[in-house]
Amino acid sequence: GIVAVWANYNSYYFANSTASLVTLLEGRFLTHPYEELQLADEAFIDRMAEAVYRGVVDFIRDVESE
C-alpha cells in the first residue's frame, strides 16, 4: 500500500540522485497477465502516454498559478 511505498522511498536511487522533482510511474505490471497484454497494445500505450503528459502539464500549470 501507500504506507509501505512511502516508508521505503529513499531506497530508490533515482529519487536520491537529483534535487529535481522525481516521479515513478508504474502504469501496468508485467506480473499481471491482462496488464501485460495491454502493454503490447500500441493504442493503449499512446493513451497512457497522453494521460501522463496531460497530468504533467496540469501540474505545471497549477504550480505556476500559485
Side-chain angles (χ1 to χ4, degrees), residues 2 5 8 12-14 17 23 25 30 33 39-40 45-47 52-56 60-62 65-66:
I2 293 173
V5 171
N8 295 319
Y12 293 105
Y13 172 77
F14 70 90
S17 63
T23 300
L25 174 71
L30 294 177
L39 290 172
I45 293 172
D46 289 344
R47 289 191 306 274
V52 171
Y53 168 78
R54 289 175 186 255
V56 170
I60 292 169
R61 286 184 181 149
D62 288 347
S65 68
E66 291 180 359

Side-chain angles (χ1 to χ4, degrees), residues 23-57:
T23 300
L24 172 63
L25 174 71
E26 295 178 285
R28 292 292 184 260
F29 298 96
L30 294 177
T31 55
H32 189 277
Y34 178 71
E35 292 181 0
E36 182 179 6
L37 290 174
Q38 287 179 311
L39 290 172
D41 179 1
E42 193 171 324
F44 175 82
I45 293 172
D46 289 344
R47 289 191 306 274
M48 189 182 330
E50 180 68 24
V52 171
Y53 168 78
R54 289 175 186 255
V56 170
V57 169

